[in-house]
Amino acid sequence: MTTIFRLDSSIRTEGSVSRAVADTLENAIIEAEGNDTRVTRRDLAADPVPTDAWATAAFAGHTPEDERTPEQQAATALATQLADEVAAADVLIIGAPLYNFGVSQHLKTWFDLLITDPRFASGAQTVKDKPAFLVIARGGGYGEGTPRAGWDHATGWLRRILEDVWGLDLDVIETELTLAEVTPQMAGLRDLARAQLAESHEVARTSGRSVTLKLRNAA
């Protein structure tokens, strides 16, 4: 059985580009793998990680287990649950819109709490070489030569954690100009935005089909 871990962090449930592209990717993997596929989902918009859980779990790590407060026990139990979900996966899909030029608070909180579990601390190899996909959506344009080139402070950080700290075999699917359809000032970019979105869905379909080869070779 193939287990997919799917993490969504868009605050939008309808009209979310990161969710839509992740859906295409997930469906392509399931279609290629057949019915023997299980998906573990965590939606950080519908079920956010408590903002105080990271600090509580971090201090609990320096406290003997029999001396931990109920709050510390609950925080470390949640960290364990998050770690179990990721560790059990054969392939990871992480949807991450760019908010305010960086990583959203609720996504950063998930990462911070997860890293308190020893299986995901720096140097651990729990998910090393497992295939993973980072599905990025940006409302504007941030490529080289644009006025906001270099303003995306999320993608680089996410790659550092997923690739350099956790050692995942990471592919990044990026879609820009996602606000063109609803922003009058971006009307002239709508054709380009539609083309980029179509390309992202095609990349997701192709990647979903091809990742099954990685999974079978690793079996």
Side-chain angles (χ1 to χ4, degrees):
M1 174 180 287
T2 297
T3 299
I4 300 170
F5 173 73
R6 164 82 179 266
L7 180 76
D8 286 297
S9 60
S10 173
I11 60 175
R12 302 172 68 191
T13 54
E14 298 295 329
S16 166
V17 170
S18 65
R19 289 178 188 270
V21 174
D23 283 343
T24 297
L25 175 59
E26 177 188 320
N27 291 335
I29 297 173
I30 292 172
E31 181 179 345
E33 286 290 292
N35 294 328
D36 196 26
T37 307
R38 179 177 62 187
V39 182
T40 300
R41 304 182 189 280
R42 182 162 285 275
D43 188 331
L44 296 178
D47 185 21
V49 174
T51 55
D52 61 348
W54 165 65
T56 304
F59 283 116
H62 301 283
T63 304
E65 287 191 29
D66 60 353
E67 296 180 13
R68 291 176 183 172
T69 67
E71 292 78 14
Q72 289 177 325
Q73 292 171 2
T76 55
L78 180 55
T80 298
Q81 180 184 350
L82 302 184
D84 287 344
E85 292 173 351
V86 178
D90 299 299
V91 57
L92 281 67
I93 300 173
I94 296 175
L98 179 68
Y99 289 138
N100 299 320
F101 315 114
V103 180
S104 68
Q105 175 266 336
H106 53 297
L107 181 57
K108 180 68 162 51
T109 299
W110 178 83
F111 273 105
D112 286 340
L113 182 57
L114 182 54
I115 289 172
T116 66
D117 187 286
R119 289 171 289 175
F120 289 90
S122 182
Q125 298 187 338
T126 302
V127 291
K128 182 177 172 58
D129 295 329
K130 286 188 178 183
F133 296 91
L134 177 61
V135 180
I136 295 286
R138 307 184 189 99
Y142 295 84
E144 290 299 325
T146 65
R148 287 186 171 176
W151 283 42
D152 174 2
H153 299 288
T155 304
W157 183 86
L158 290 164
R159 295 191 75 130
R160 295 291 77 76
I161 297 295
L162 297 171
E163 288 184 302
D164 299 337
V165 177
W166 291 352
L168 288 161
D169 180 7
L170 185 69
D171 286 319
V172 181
I173 303 175
E174 302 173 271
T175 310
E176 290 201 328
L177 307 175
T178 63
L179 291 177
E181 294 290 349
V182 296
T183 305
Q185 297 90 331
M186 298 176 68
L189 299 171
R190 286 173 186 169
D191 287 342
L192 179 58
R194 290 164 189 162
Q196 284 201 17
L197 180 57
E199 181 180 355
S200 292
H201 280 290
E202 183 56 33
V203 169
R205 279 188 287 270
T206 302
S207 299
R209 291 191 292 264
S210 64
V211 76
T212 60
L213 296 176
K214 294 181 181 180
L215 295 172
R216 289 166 188 166
N217 290 336

